[in-house]
């Protein structure tokens, strides 16, 4: 049957994705929130361009997550993708996001995207390491960078269903945000930077501030107004998240890095940074 053929194709793709790997299918694993000091809430992000018709289109999307040599989860589902907002056919950037609680150690995420009724299948495999949760120190996660694209589709998947996830929305922006897996954007694109600061088994320093700044060639070329460090949560774990938006045209072409720093006086107590490039034409 068609269903059996599809299941067989996905099993083969998970076992050996190499022959069907597509460089335009990109994956990212981002541990963004420490849980009980022993694991991370981890965003698993898959991004790919998809041509949709005037009636939309559909794809079977399967994923296998392995921790070392142990399979943690395997599943697939048929996802319907709508046409462009104006009802016309064209290419839409698609981002699928799921959240899993992962323990420290090496992991592998394998993704397979199959076109219904055909033998067309595209794959991507990502090997990544979930770090240990730092104890007794400030943790800066991010910033995660994204650009705004009105044609973009972003879906949050959990247990095979499309769900709302306010915490994740705060991490990577609204439904038109495309995470920069290649960290390149165009001068006219609105840029989103999301970050989270946490402490585990310690208190937050008093009077510290959170600075967000952009450097080029070591010099600060753009700075946002600093905000107080205000961690919230349990005694053994507290966090503060934020999302900044830079209007299109803020930065000219060049190479930059977006920094999020916890600052006391003139000293950086903790720092997170993401390099990116601004270049002509359409973004990532």
């Amino acid at each position: 049957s068609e269903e059996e053929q599809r299941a067989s194709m996905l099993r083969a793709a998970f076992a050996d994705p190499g022959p069907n790997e597509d460089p335009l299918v990109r994956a990212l694993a981002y541990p963004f929130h420490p849980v009980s000091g022993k694991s991370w809430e981890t965003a698993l992000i898959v991004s790919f361009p998809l041509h949709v018709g005037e009636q939309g289109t559909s794809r079977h999307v399967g994923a296998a997550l392995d921790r070392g040599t142990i399979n943690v989860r395997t599943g697939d589902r048929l996802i319907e993708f709508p046409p462009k907002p104006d009802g016309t056919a064209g290419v839409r950037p698609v981002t699928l996001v799921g959240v899993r609680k992962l323990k420290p150690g090496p992991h592998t995420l394998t993704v397979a995207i199959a076109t219904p009724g055909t033998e067309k299948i595209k794959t991507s495999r990502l090997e990544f390491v979930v770090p240990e949760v730092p104890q007794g120190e400030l943790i800066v996660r991010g910033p995660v960078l994204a650009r705004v694209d009105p044609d973009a589709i972003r879906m949050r998947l959990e247990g095979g269903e499309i769900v709302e996830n306010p915490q994740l929305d705060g991490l990577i922006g609204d439904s038109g945000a495309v995470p920069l897996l290649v960290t390149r954007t165009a001068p006219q694109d609105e840029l989103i930077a999301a970050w989270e600061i946490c402490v585990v088994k310690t208190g937050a320093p008093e009077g510290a501030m959170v600075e967000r700044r952009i450097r080029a060639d070591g010099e600060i070329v753009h700075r946002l107004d600093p905000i107080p460090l205000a961690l919230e949560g349990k005694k053994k774990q507290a966090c503060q998240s934020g999302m900044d938006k830079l209007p299109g045209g803020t930065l000219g072409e060049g190479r930059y890095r977006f920094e999020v720093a916890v600052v006391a006086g003139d000293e950086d107590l903790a720092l997170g940074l993401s390099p990116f490039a601004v270049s002509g034409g359409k973004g990532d």
Side-chain angles (χ1 to χ4, degrees), residues 228-245:
L229 180 67
L231 305 180
E232 297 181 354
K234 302 176 182 179
K235 291 183 179 179
K236 292 185 178 181
Q237 179 179 316
C239 294
Q240 176 181 353
S241 60
M243 184 174 67
D244 301 306
K245 292 186 178 182

Side-chain angles (χ1 to χ4, degrees), residues 123-147:
T123 62
S124 180
R125 173 169 284 183
L126 172 71
E127 295 183 355
F128 63 98
V129 176
V130 177
E132 296 287 340
V133 178
Q135 310 288 311
E137 62 183 80
L138 283 165
I139 307 168
V140 180
R141 300 301 296 164
V144 175
L145 303 181
R147 66 179 178 86

Side-chain angles (χ1 to χ4, degrees), residues 32-41 101-105 130-137 139 198-202 234-239:
F32 68 94
H33 186 78
V35 181
S36 302
K38 297 180 180 179
S39 61
W40 294 87
E41 284 189 347
K101 187 185 297 184
L102 300 182
K103 296 180 180 180
V130 177
E132 296 287 340
V133 178
Q135 310 288 311
E137 62 183 80
I139 307 168
C198 296
V199 292
V200 178
K201 295 184 178 180
T202 188
K234 302 176 182 179
K235 291 183 179 179
K236 292 185 178 181
Q237 179 179 316
C239 294

Side-chain angles (χ1 to χ4, degrees), residues 9-282:
M9 287 171 57
L10 289 175
R11 284 197 301 270
F14 292 149
D16 183 19
N20 297 299
E21 279 193 309
D22 187 330
L24 296 181
V25 179
R26 302 162 182 160
L28 171 70
Y30 179 63
F32 68 94
H33 186 78
V35 181
S36 302
K38 297 180 180 179
S39 61
W40 294 87
E41 284 189 347
T42 302
L44 303 175
I45 303 172
V46 179
S47 180
F48 55 93
L50 180 65
H51 187 276
V52 297
E54 295 180 358
Q55 304 301 318
T57 190
S58 62
R59 292 291 187 273
H60 286 285
V61 179
L65 179 63
D66 300 289
R67 183 174 63 243
T69 59
I70 300 174
N71 180 256
V72 178
R73 181 179 176 86
T74 299
D76 74 276
R77 63 163 293 162
L78 179 66
I79 300 178
E80 302 289 340
F81 298 99
K84 297 175 66 175
D86 60 5
T88 61
V91 175
R92 303 195 68 179
V94 173
T95 302
L96 304 178
V97 186
V99 175
R100 299 288 295 174
K101 187 185 297 184
L102 300 182
K103 296 180 180 180
H107 292 71
T108 302
L109 174 65
T110 306
V111 179
I113 302 169
T115 304
T118 74
E119 295 185 357
K120 294 181 180 179
I121 191 166
K122 298 179 180 180
T123 62
S124 180
R125 173 169 284 183
L126 172 71
E127 295 183 355
F128 63 98
V129 176
V130 177
E132 296 287 340
V133 178
Q135 310 288 311
E137 62 183 80
L138 283 165
I139 307 168
V140 180
R141 300 301 296 164
V144 175
L145 303 181
R147 66 179 178 86
V148 174
D149 186 333
D151 288 336
I153 299 173
R154 200 191 77 226
M155 297 180 177
R156 289 143 334 264
L157 305 178
E158 183 175 314
E161 300 298 327
I162 298 173
V163 300
E164 297 297 325
N165 189 321
Q167 184 179 22
L168 199 58
D169 288 346
L171 178 71
I172 57 175
D174 57 27
S175 59
V178 182
L180 296 180
L181 304 194
V182 182
T183 62
R184 182 177 66 87
T185 185
Q188 70 273 16
D189 288 340
E190 182 179 15
L191 183 68
I192 296 174
W195 46 268
E196 186 163 44
I197 300 169
C198 296
V199 292
V200 178
K201 295 184 178 180
T202 188
E206 295 184 2
M209 303 293 288
V210 181
E211 289 190 358
R212 291 93 68 227
R213 59 212 184 198
I214 297 175
R215 291 185 187 270
D217 296 325
E219 300 293 328
I220 297 176
V221 296
H222 186 81
R223 190 193 300 267
L224 286 81
D225 293 335
I227 58 176
L229 180 67
L231 305 180
E232 297 181 354
K234 302 176 182 179
K235 291 183 179 179
K236 292 185 178 181
Q237 179 179 316
C239 294
Q240 176 181 353
S241 60
M243 184 174 67
D244 301 306
K245 292 186 178 182
L246 272 66
T250 301
L251 300 172
E253 295 191 17
R255 294 185 177 276
Y256 303 91
R257 74 180 195 185
F258 198 114
E259 297 181 348
V260 176
V262 180
V263 178
D266 295 328
E267 180 185 0
D268 286 354
L269 303 181
L271 176 68
L273 60 89
S274 291
F276 67 101
V278 177
S279 59
K282 195 171 181 180

